[in-house]
Amino acid sequence: MAVSRKGASRDSGPTGTGGGMDAVSATSGRHPRTRGRNMNLRGYADAFRARLRLGERGPILVALGLVVIWLVFQSLDDNFLSPRNLSNLSVDIVGTGLVAVGIVFVLLIGEIDLSVGSVSGLAGAAFAVLNVNLGMPEWLALIVAMLSGMAVGAVHGFFFAWVGVPAFVVTLAGLLAWNGLTLFLLGASGTISLDEEGLVASLTSSYFGAAAAAYGLAALGIAAYFLVSHRNRNRHKAAGMPHRSLSEIWVRTGVLALIALAAAYTLNQFQGLPLALLIFLTIIVASDYILRRTRYGRRVYALGGGIEAARRAGVGVARVRILMFMVSGTLAAIGGLFVASGLTSASPTTARAAGSGMLLINAIAAAVIGGTSLFGGRGSTWSALLGVLVIESIASGMALLGVQDAVQFMITGGVLLAAVTADTLSRRSAGARDRA
């Protein structure tokens, strides 16, 4: 499998946005996953409207919004949907996307982590100092940088879960403290350049050039989705539970196949499958599996649904909270290394560098725009992928059109406000029905 370098430049958790707790049909009272075989278009529409009324926006609205964004920018500039631009976009989303995945874990328990931008910058600075200034081997400096993020998350979790300091205050203090430590490590210059041929730099500059790599990944994802969906259907059917029909599974698999194969074809028109994208998707899949298929993940959703109920159910609240902040810190560190890789330098002084305020804002916005609730208990790691695609698509389109960053910030802020407003109103509506 050849590797080349750049020349220039489902179901989710118990209440997740990707599927989780299915809504009851508004007109018939039927569960959308029926035991029969006659789930027609009207049934899908009823189930979708019921999901919205229950406060679950799901990925469909976000995906439709992303399509609209792409069509608008393509109409304004023919290069937006070109293989080169889309391939670059698939790499640009990784750094912010990884930080957003970590944010999702914290949001699921109803908390916030304001330190992720500073933690990402600290990881990049730690790697640069250890490798470039002190001569430590890259692989070892990389591990130390990731462990630094985990350690920072453990510190935040300890003060929040055991001492009782609000997460907002703890992570706000961390934002300031770790940013100061980053500036101290980088010294007077504020920037340390990385080896352009080194391990970290290759994270965003390496591609699998063979066409079979992208198509193989697409085929693997399609097959895995079908097999898991079919297995779940059989298990639910055997237990007498509501389940999807085979026709619905085939339709969903077909839609996924079209998207995956189209993405693979587009990537192969440029330089092939980016290594960064492969790592990003692997982390998302692994995180999604942990949240949806393990006892640990069920405890996370339970805690987000209500602290007292989770405690009475035997959930170790303090332990889960600490682990969530450790996951957030670790993924922030990894995301910071990818951002530093794209810039081939460690520097929090530029607007899009690891450690900058924009990375924090974009990461939180990506998680929320993608469908993760700010109130806890609802969301999935796939929402980070959708949200960061929206944000980076806006950034890419604005860059092609030569629009200044100020306009981009205003548009992103508007999209974020719309997402939070929808989440708040749908949650309020669901609460009013429950009280009635």
Side-chain angles (χ1 to χ4, degrees):
M1 186 180 298
V3 178
S4 61
R5 297 183 182 274
K6 285 193 290 186
S9 18
R10 145 200 107 241
D11 294 332
S12 69
T15 53
T17 57
M21 184 173 60
D22 294 296
V24 178
S25 172
T27 56
S28 65
R30 289 177 60 195
H31 196 290
R33 295 186 186 179
T34 63
R35 291 185 174 84
R37 299 181 180 179
N38 299 318
M39 188 67 173
N40 52 27
L41 291 177
R42 181 178 179 181
Y44 286 120
D46 290 342
F48 179 68
R49 286 194 296 270
R51 185 183 296 275
L52 292 180
R53 282 194 291 271
L54 287 176
E56 297 183 43
R57 286 176 286 136
I60 297 179
L61 292 180
V62 184
L64 291 176
L66 181 62
V67 171
V68 171
I69 291 172
W70 283 16
L71 291 178
V72 169
F73 281 122
Q74 177 64 15
S75 66
L76 297 174
D77 192 315
D78 293 339
N79 292 320
F80 182 79
L81 292 181
S82 66
R84 172 185 288 273
N85 191 59
L86 291 180
S87 180
N88 290 336
L89 179 63
S90 72
V91 176
D92 293 339
I93 66 174
V94 175
T96 304
L98 287 170
V99 180
V101 172
I103 287 289
V104 168
F105 277 85
V106 177
L107 290 178
L108 285 176
I109 62 172
E111 301 299 336
I112 191 68
D113 188 349
L114 300 178
S115 69
V116 289
S118 296
V119 174
S120 67
L122 177 63
F127 172 84
V129 170
L130 292 174
N131 174 244
V132 178
N133 292 358
L134 302 180
M136 180 180 289
E138 279 196 290
W139 65 269
L140 183 56
L142 187 68
I143 294 176
V144 173
M146 290 189 292
L147 290 177
S148 69
M150 183 183 298
V152 167
V155 171
H156 293 163
F158 171 79
F159 278 98
F160 168 57
W162 288 106
V163 180
V165 182
F168 178 88
V169 177
V170 172
T171 56
L172 179 60
L175 181 154
L176 299 173
W178 307 127
N179 187 60
L181 180 57
T182 299
L183 295 175
F184 176 79
L185 291 175
L186 293 177
S189 65
T191 300
I192 299 178
S193 298
L194 305 179
D195 181 6
E196 295 185 1
E197 299 297 323
L199 176 62
V200 169
S202 67
L203 291 175
T204 54
S205 64
S206 295
Y207 290 72
F208 295 93
Y215 285 121
L217 179 63
L220 180 62
I222 296 166
Y225 177 82
F226 176 80
L227 292 175
V228 170
S229 299
H230 194 270
R231 178 174 175 269
N232 289 340
R233 176 186 182 275
N234 290 340
R235 291 177 59 188
H236 291 173
K237 183 177 181 180
M241 298 170 60
H243 56 273
R244 291 191 176 115
S245 64
L246 279 176
S247 60
E248 181 182 357
I249 293 176
W250 278 111
V251 169
R252 287 170 174 264
T253 305
V255 173
L256 175 63
L258 287 176
I259 296 174
L261 293 175
Y265 173 80
T266 302
L267 292 175
N268 283 331
Q269 296 305 300
F270 185 52
Q271 289 182 301
L273 175 66
L275 173 62
L277 180 62
L278 176 61
I279 295 174
F280 184 34
L281 292 177
T282 301
I283 291 177
I284 288 180
V285 171
S287 301
D288 181 65
Y289 177 84
I290 292 172
L291 287 174
R292 292 195 299 115
R293 302 293 179 182
T294 66
R295 180 181 302 176
Y296 168 76
R298 289 190 289 271
R299 290 174 177 173
V300 171
Y301 282 106
L303 181 56
I307 297 176
E308 288 304 320
R311 184 178 285 113
R312 292 175 182 177
V315 175
V317 174
R319 182 168 62 249
V320 173
R321 283 174 162 177
I322 292 175
L323 286 174
M324 290 300 93
F325 279 94
M326 290 176 66
V327 171
S328 178
T330 303
L331 289 174
I334 297 174
L337 291 171
F338 273 90
V339 175
S341 172
L343 298 173
T344 62
S345 67
S347 172
T349 57
T350 57
R352 303 192 183 281
S356 67
M358 283 310 303
L359 179 60
L360 166 65
I361 295 171
N362 286 339
I364 296 177
V368 176
I369 290 172
T372 300
S373 175
L374 282 171
F375 303 98
R378 190 167 68 245
S380 75
T381 54
W382 290 101
S383 63
L385 174 61
L386 283 173
V388 77
L389 272 173
V390 170
I391 291 176
E392 292 298 336
S393 293
I394 294 173
S396 177
M398 292 293 181
L400 286 175
L401 296 176
V403 178
Q404 57 183 331
D405 286 345
V407 177
Q408 176 195 328
F409 298 158
M410 288 187 286
I411 294 176
T412 303
V415 174
L416 174 60
L417 179 61
V420 176
T421 301
D423 182 37
T424 303
L425 293 178
S426 61
R427 187 180 181 88
R428 181 183 302 170
S429 177
R433 284 193 305 275
D434 291 340
R435 288 191 296 271

